[in-house]
Amino acid sequence: MLNTNKIREDFEILNKSIKGKPIIYFDNACMSLKPKQVVETMNRYYNEFPACGGRSLHSLGKKVTEEVRNARKTMQKFINAKSEKEIIFTKNTTEAINLIANAFNLEEGDEVITTDKEHNSNLLPWQRLKETKGIIHQIADFNDPEDLKNKITNKTKLISMVHSSNLDGTSINAKEIIKIAHYNKVAVMLDCAQSIPHKEVDVRKLDADFIAFSGHKMLGPTGTGCLYGKEALLEKLSPFIVGGDTVKDTTYSTAEFEDLPERLEAGLQNYAGIIGFAEAANYLMRIGKKDIEQHELKLNKKITDELLKINGFEFIGPKEAEQRGGIISFNIKNMDPHNIAMILDQSANIMIRSGAHCVHSWFNAHQMKGSARASLYLYNTEEEANVFIEEMKKIVKFLK
């Protein structure tokens, strides 16, 4: 069981108020808050060793190289990767997916399967490759492994699926899907941006070939992310972005590329961000993902049970909280979701997200403009849930 009061002491922003009222932050599927441990770790880079890693042989340069290597080992432990070479630092999930899309050596006629609930980050790279390379992009039903199985052909090279949807919080059965894919000799990439901050993701238990995730959704800094890949598969990737740090040597016409992981991490890296990212992973490992998952589910169930009593309230996704993790995506009949978000913000400092949540394709297919979305995390409390429920009741009552 989480000690939420103690956890909240680590988040300075939660001790502040706006117009005399506390902040209730329910926009965690978009961006999580940052604990002081992450901020202090990043400041340690700028204050104590603000130099260049991997290149300079002086003391500060060696310290940066050591800290980045320790960060890589932390991320290896965080997802139970076999080797630190399997950890590629990126700017975010989007960059990690684009790296695979452009480095996986797909050719004209090769097929890639995604689902109907993909974030634009896992939709647009494949649309682009369809235009530029002539690949075939298949879309399977997120909720139906049989549909996925039926779409696999002898031309399918990669299945790239969101693990947990930011649209409604539901998750795929990743282990089953990976088993189906591997039986057909197809590689699988999971977009874990929404799953890894909230529940255990063990790449070896899942047998995932690639996963992508971001720092900013798991208490880490913005501009940080990770691509995991099995070492043997990463070795086969063609370099995507090339330049400094990706090569051992060059002539005017040739290049000798570095070994993993450096050859996939072009240019000077976000050192402060990388070590802050690792500190966020350490923070989550100290708290425990299972306790975080149970805490969010408890709050979601409390909110869901009360909102289901309100006439005109419509959930996106299943009504059962157990199937939606920490996400409550909803609409109120005859009310624009942006107006719901603005009223909650102005009346009680309740910060949620409204709109299409970067899943425009799903909303367009269902002829919907969007939804309001409350998303929970480890520092949210039952008191905050109660305030949210009462404010929602006021909004619906006002509409009558």
Side-chain angles (χ1 to χ4, degrees), residues 61-79:
K62 288 180 180 177
K63 178 65 174 171
V64 177
T65 301
E66 176 189 343
E67 292 278 344
V68 170
R69 181 163 189 201
N70 289 339
R72 205 181 301 276
K73 287 180 177 178
T74 297
M75 302 314 292
Q76 175 193 350
K77 181 181 176 184
F78 185 59
I79 60 172

Side-chain angles (χ1 to χ4, degrees), residues 193-256:
Q194 292 294 337
S195 59
I196 217 164
H198 308 279
K199 60 184 179 184
E200 295 289 349
V201 175
D202 183 322
V203 293
R204 281 197 270 182
K205 283 185 180 176
L206 290 172
D207 199 20
D209 299 300
F210 303 103
I211 74 166
F213 57 100
S214 296
H216 66 272
K217 296 183 191 297
M218 50 165 275
L219 310 180
T222 56
T224 59
C226 180
L227 169 69
Y228 157 81
K230 289 177 180 172
E231 186 174 350
L233 294 176
L234 291 176
E235 291 283 6
K236 294 179 182 176
L237 298 182
S238 299
F240 171 39
I241 301 173
V242 293
D245 273 355
T246 62
V247 289
K248 296 175 181 175
D249 196 12
T250 60
T251 67
Y252 286 128
S253 58
T254 62
E256 180 186 1

Side-chain angles (χ1 to χ4, degrees), residues 169-367:
T170 54
S171 295
I172 59 167
N173 185 338
K175 195 162 186 174
E176 180 186 355
I177 287 170
I178 290 169
K179 191 175 178 182
I180 293 170
H182 286 176
Y183 177 79
N184 290 281
K185 298 181 180 179
V186 176
V188 177
M189 175 163 63
L190 296 177
D191 171 358
C192 293
Q194 292 294 337
S195 59
I196 217 164
H198 308 279
K199 60 184 179 184
E200 295 289 349
V201 175
D202 183 322
V203 293
R204 281 197 270 182
K205 283 185 180 176
L206 290 172
D207 199 20
D209 299 300
F210 303 103
I211 74 166
F213 57 100
S214 296
H216 66 272
K217 296 183 191 297
M218 50 165 275
L219 310 180
T222 56
T224 59
C226 180
L227 169 69
Y228 157 81
K230 289 177 180 172
E231 186 174 350
L233 294 176
L234 291 176
E235 291 283 6
K236 294 179 182 176
L237 298 182
S238 299
F240 171 39
I241 301 173
V242 293
D245 273 355
T246 62
V247 289
K248 296 175 181 175
D249 196 12
T250 60
T251 67
Y252 286 128
S253 58
T254 62
E256 180 186 1
F257 281 91
E258 273 283 3
D259 299 323
L260 292 173
E262 284 82 6
R263 72 183 176 88
L264 295 175
E265 296 176 347
L268 195 142
Q269 297 296 294
N270 176 7
Y271 303 122
I274 286 171
I275 63 173
F277 188 18
E279 181 55 31
N282 277 324
Y283 190 95
L284 291 172
M285 286 190 282
R286 286 195 296 271
I287 298 292
K289 292 272 199 78
K290 288 183 179 174
D291 285 345
I292 293 170
E293 187 177 9
Q294 289 174 5
H295 174 74
E296 294 171 6
L297 186 57
K298 182 181 173 185
L299 294 182
N300 193 348
K301 191 166 188 324
K302 181 182 184 66
I303 292 170
T304 296
D305 288 347
E306 291 300 317
L307 295 186
L308 281 172
K309 299 174 185 174
I310 301 174
N311 287 332
F313 197 93
E314 299 167 347
F315 278 102
I316 304 292
K319 291 181 179 178
E320 296 79 11
E322 292 82 358
Q323 295 185 43
R324 289 183 280 103
I327 287 185
I328 305 110
S329 188
F330 62 96
N331 277 305
I332 296 174
K333 194 174 182 180
N334 299 325
M335 191 166 188
D336 189 305
H338 292 308
N339 289 338
I340 299 172
M342 285 191 288
I343 292 171
L344 289 171
D345 181 49
Q346 291 170 14
S347 65
N349 288 338
I350 299 172
M351 299 174 186
I352 68 166
R353 175 80 177 266
S354 57
H357 319 301
C358 296
V359 196
H360 301 79
S361 52
W362 186 91
F363 283 102
N364 286 328
H366 290 76
Q367 299 181 328

